[in-house]
Amino acid sequence: GCLLLCLLLAIVGAQAGGEVKPRPPPCQQSLTKVSCRAAGLHSFPEDLPQGVKHLELSHNLLQNLSESCLPTLGQLEHLDLRSNLLVAISGLARLPRLHSLLLGSNRLHHNYRDNVVAFSALRGLEVLDLSDNGLESHMVEGFLGSLAALRVLHLPGNRLSQLPAGIFQGSPRLSELDLSNSYIMDIEEGALEVLQELAVLSLALNSLHCLSSFSLRQLQVLNLSHNALELFGWEEGQGPYLLQVLDLSHNRLLSFPQLPAAHRLVHLNLSHNAITSLDPSSHHPAQFVLHYEEMVSFNALLGTAASLTHLAELDLSYNCLQLLPLLFFRAMHSLFTLSVAMNCLQDITMELLARDGDEDRNGMATWPEDAALSVRSMDLHGNAIHTLPCWFFDALPQLEAIDLSSNSLRPCGADMGGTLGGSSLWAEPCTAFHNIPHLQHLSLRRNGLTQLLPHTFSQTPLLSLDLSENRGLAMPRAALEGLEHSLQQLRLRGNHMDNSRAEVPCLNELRVLDLSGNRLNLLPTGLFCSPLQTLDVSDNELPALPEQALAGWTHSLQALCLAGNPLHCCGLGWLDA
C-alpha cells in the first residue's frame, strides 16, 4: 500500500511539474556502428554517418530497398536486415564493399529475378543469410551466381526440395553451409562436390532417406540429424576423411554406420535411431535383419570400429540394443564418453555374439589386460540390466562416472567377495560397487533397491552418490562406511524412508544432501558432523530441526529447503541457530 501510494505521488508530481522524459532515439549509433533494431521503421533511416561500417536494421517493417530509397554508404561492410517484410532489394547494388549481409526471415521469393540482379554487384560478399525466405532451388542458384568470394551461407527454412548439380557453382569457396529444414529429399551427384573448401555442413531436419556414397573428404562437421536415413556409407579409397563431428541422430539407421576411413572423427551421435545390434551379420529375429545389399559383412563393421581411434564421444542412446559387447569398443583408444541410455539392454558381454561354449567368457571370465577401455563417463540409464559381469569395472579402469539409474541392479556387500554376476551361491545376482579405484560419480536411482548391505561402496572414492526413488529403501549405518572421507553429494530423494531406514555414518566431506520425499521426523545423527552447504528435507514429517546440528552448520549451510513439513510454530527456537 505504501509503495503504491509513493508511486502514485511520484506520477502526479511529474505530471504537475510538466516533466516528460524524452523517448530514447530509435537508433543508437557511434562513428562506425548504427543499430536500429526493432525501431518500427518503415523506410531506410536517413542521416546516417558516412563512415558507418556496421548497420543493424533487423525486426523492422521494411518492404522495399530500391536504389532511390538507399543512401550512398560506400564504407558499409555489415548489414543486418533479418525479420523484415522485404520483397525488393535492388538498392543493395549501391553497397560495393559489403562483406556480410543478413536477410533471413523476409519475402525474397517475390520479385526474385530483380533481386538476383542486385546480388550480381556484391562480388565481395563473404557471409550471406537467406534463411526463411521461401526460396526454391533455382532461386538460390540465381542469387549465388556471382558470389565467388562467399564463405558462409545460411539457407535453413526454405523450400529447396532437391539440390541440383549446379546450385553452388557460382560460390565454390564456401566453407560453411546450412541447409537445414529445407524439405530436401534428393541431392544430385556433383551438387556438393564442387565445394572443395567446405568444412561445416548442416543437412538437418530434411527428408533424406539414403546417403550411400558420401565423398566430401574435406568436411570437418556434418549434421544429418532429423532425417529419414536408413543407410549411410562412405566412398573408399583416395585417402582419409577429415571429419571430426558427425551427427546422425533422429534417423532410421538399423545398424552402426560404415565409417572405414573416419580416422579423425571425435564426436559421433547415433542417438534416436532404430539400431538393434552392433552386428549386421546376425540373423537372430530380435536383432538386425539385413535390408540392403550395399551393407557389407561383419568384418567390415569391425574395421569401422578399428578406424575410430580418435573418437572421444559416442552417443548410442534411444536405440533398440539388447546386447552391449564391450570388446566392440576396444580399438577406440580415445573414447571418453559413451552413452547407451534408453535402449533395451539386458546383457553386457565381451563378444558381439556368444558362441556355444563361450558362456564362461561372457560371464565369470577375466577381461583381457590388453583390451582396457579408455571410457571415463558412461550412461546406461533406462535399460533392463539386472547385473553387471564381474569383469565390467576391470574393462573400464579409468571410469569416473556411471549412470545406472532406471535399471534393476542389486548391489553386493563388500563381505560377499566374489559372489557376483549371477553366482549360484546367492538367490539373486548382484553387482559389486566396492574397490573401484577411479569411480567418483554413481547413480543407482530408480533401481527398485530395498536394502543396502554393509560396506557396499568401501574402497571406492565416490564424490557423488544418487540412491533416489528406490521406494522403501533400507540403508543401515554400515552401508556407507568407507565413504567418510570422500563423499560430497548424497541424494536419497523420494525413498519413503522412515527414521529406522535412513542411517548414515559421519561423512566428513558431505556438502550436498537431498532427503526430500521421505518420512523422517528426525534427522540422522550421523549428519551432524558433516559440513553441509545445501540441505533439502522438504516433504518429510519434521516438526523442527535439531539445534545441535544447526549450530554445527552455522558457518557452512547456504541453502535449506523445508517446504512440506509439519513445523511446530511454537517451537522455532532452532531458527536462531
Side-chain angles (χ1 to χ4, degrees):
C2 293
L3 178 59
L4 180 59
L5 179 59
C6 291
L7 288 172
L8 289 172
L9 289 173
I11 294 171
V12 171
Q15 292 176 342
E19 296 178 6
V20 178
K21 291 186 177 180
R23 291 183 178 180
C27 301
Q28 289 77 45
Q29 56 183 291
S30 63
L31 290 177
T32 60
K33 185 174 182 179
V34 177
S35 176
C36 303
R37 185 182 187 277
L41 298 180
H42 288 79
S43 60
F44 208 88
E46 301 176 356
D47 301 325
L48 292 171
Q50 285 297 313
V52 64
K53 295 183 177 181
H54 188 292
L55 177 58
E56 182 177 0
L57 297 173
S58 64
H59 297 85
N60 281 289
L61 304 169
L62 303 176
Q63 297 184 45
N64 189 346
L65 291 185
S66 63
E67 292 192 45
S68 60
C69 299
L70 207 67
T72 301
L73 297 171
Q75 304 298 317
L76 193 64
E77 297 177 355
H78 173 89
L79 177 58
D80 186 349
L81 290 164
R82 290 174 295 177
S83 299
N84 277 275
L85 306 172
L86 289 170
V87 295
I89 52 174
S90 59
L92 294 179
R94 303 186 65 180
L95 306 174
R97 294 199 179 186
L98 208 57
H99 291 166
S100 175
L101 176 59
L102 309 183
L103 287 165
S105 299
N106 280 285
R107 302 173 180 179
L108 298 183
H109 62 293
H110 297 297
N111 199 37
Y112 92 93
R113 296 185 187 279
D114 291 336
N115 293 334
V116 164
V117 175
F119 267 72
S120 63
L122 304 177
R123 298 183 181 276
L125 202 62
E126 298 180 358
V127 178
L128 176 61
D129 180 2
L130 289 172
S131 58
D132 295 298
N133 270 285
L135 301 176
E136 298 177 10
S137 298
H138 67 282
M139 300 177 184
V140 171
E141 185 173 352
F143 278 116
L144 303 180
S146 303
L147 304 183
L150 198 63
R151 303 289 293 169
V152 178
L153 175 61
H154 293 275
L155 286 169
N158 284 290
R159 299 179 296 181
L160 305 183
S161 71
Q162 71 171 108
L163 299 181
I167 186 170
F168 301 115
Q169 197 163 7
S171 303
R173 296 193 59 205
L174 281 175
S175 62
E176 181 179 328
L177 176 59
D178 187 352
L179 295 166
S180 60
N181 195 25
S182 292
Y183 301 96
I184 299 173
M185 293 182 286
D186 181 44
I187 302 175
E188 290 186 7
E189 186 175 353
L192 296 172
E193 283 75 7
V194 68
L195 304 175
Q196 294 296 311
E197 298 180 35
L198 191 62
V200 180
L201 172 62
S202 177
L203 285 162
L205 294 160
N206 282 292
S207 300
L208 296 170
H209 286 263
C210 176
L211 282 178
S212 59
S213 58
F214 184 77
S215 60
L216 299 178
R217 297 179 180 273
Q218 80 283 0
L219 267 187
Q220 297 178 27
V221 178
L222 174 60
N223 186 354
L224 284 165
S225 65
H226 295 274
N227 276 278
L229 290 172
E230 298 179 14
L231 178 66
F232 179 82
W234 293 32
E235 286 189 354
E236 305 242 11
Q238 300 180 359
Y241 288 82
L242 303 182
L243 199 64
Q244 298 180 30
V245 179
L246 175 59
D247 190 345
L248 291 168
S249 63
H250 296 272
N251 277 283
R252 300 174 185 171
L253 294 176
L254 301 169
S255 70
F256 201 91
Q258 317 287 326
L259 305 171
H263 301 300
R264 302 194 184 188
L265 199 61
V266 177
H267 303 279
L268 176 58
N269 190 348
L270 299 173
S271 66
H272 295 272
N273 276 282
I275 300 173
T276 57
S277 173
L278 296 177
D279 178 10
S281 68
S282 170
H283 297 286
H284 191 284
Q287 294 176 345
F288 177 69
V289 179
L290 205 61
H291 283 285
Y292 294 96
E293 293 182 1
E294 296 95 328
M295 288 188 177
V296 295
S297 66
F298 172 53
N299 289 333
L301 186 73
L302 287 179
T304 289
S307 71
L308 301 176
T309 54
H310 288 85
L311 192 66
E313 182 177 3
L314 174 59
D315 192 345
L316 285 163
S317 61
Y318 292 90
N319 277 284
C320 306
L321 291 169
Q322 296 184 18
L323 186 73
L324 185 64
L326 289 190
L327 279 174
F328 175 79
F329 308 100
R330 67 183 297 177
M332 301 179 188
H333 304 303
S334 303
L335 193 60
F336 188 94
T337 302
L338 174 62
S339 176
V340 200
M342 301 303 296
N343 276 265
C344 310
L345 290 179
Q346 299 179 18
D347 295 306
I348 295 177
T349 65
M350 286 189 189
E351 305 286 3
L352 283 152
L353 289 174
R355 297 178 293 273
D356 293 341
D358 278 3
E359 290 83 358
D360 185 61
R361 184 168 187 187
N362 284 314
M364 297 295 293
T366 302
W367 181 265
E369 291 185 6
D370 61 345
L373 304 184
S374 59
V375 176
R376 297 193 180 187
S377 178
M378 195 171 195
D379 190 351
L380 294 173
H381 86 266
N383 282 286
I385 304 171
H386 288 268
T387 184
L388 300 178
C390 62
W391 43 260
F392 181 80
F393 290 106
D394 294 331
L396 298 155
Q398 300 182 61
L399 191 66
E400 297 177 357
I402 185 167
D403 187 347
L404 291 164
S405 58
S406 299
N407 281 285
S408 300
L409 291 162
R410 173 178 171 257
C412 304
D415 299 333
M416 298 173 70
T419 58
L420 327 168
S423 171
S424 59
L425 296 179
W426 293 87
E428 294 182 53
C430 64
T431 299
F433 292 100
H434 56 270
N435 197 23
I436 307 173
H438 297 285
L439 191 63
Q440 297 178 4
H441 307 280
L442 172 64
S443 176
L444 290 169
R445 181 176 58 88
R446 201 181 300 161
N447 265 265
L449 302 180
T450 57
Q451 185 174 11
L452 291 183
L453 298 173
H455 312 289
T456 298
F457 309 104
S458 65
Q459 298 183 338
T460 297
L462 290 177
L463 299 179
S464 69
L465 175 62
D466 192 346
L467 297 168
S468 301
E469 299 179 57
N470 288 292
R471 192 182 180 98
L473 176 65
M475 190 176 68
R477 184 184 183 91
L480 300 184
E481 287 184 355
L483 299 178
E484 293 90 344
H485 302 293
S486 66
L487 195 63
Q488 297 180 11
Q489 299 182 19
L490 176 61
R491 291 178 171 82
L492 297 166
R493 181 183 68 255
N495 286 330
H496 294 259
M497 306 164 75
D498 58 26
N499 299 339
S500 64
R501 290 175 169 266
E503 301 181 60
V504 296
C506 178
L507 300 172
N508 297 309
E509 300 298 323
L510 194 64
R511 302 291 193 274
V512 177
L513 175 62
D514 187 350
L515 281 167
S516 61
N518 285 287
R519 297 175 178 173
L520 304 175
N521 55 38
L522 293 172
L523 288 182
T525 57
L527 298 175
F528 296 178
C529 69
S530 301
L532 289 179
Q533 296 177 357
T534 300
L535 174 62
D536 188 346
V537 288
S538 58
D539 298 315
N540 275 278
E541 300 174 4
L542 296 169
L545 291 185
E547 295 185 31
Q548 176 187 356
L550 291 170
W553 297 333
T554 299
H555 300 293
S556 63
L557 199 61
Q558 299 173 10
L560 173 62
C561 188
L562 290 164
N565 280 284
L567 299 175
H568 289 176
C569 296
C570 298
L572 297 178
W574 52 271
L575 281 174
D576 295 334

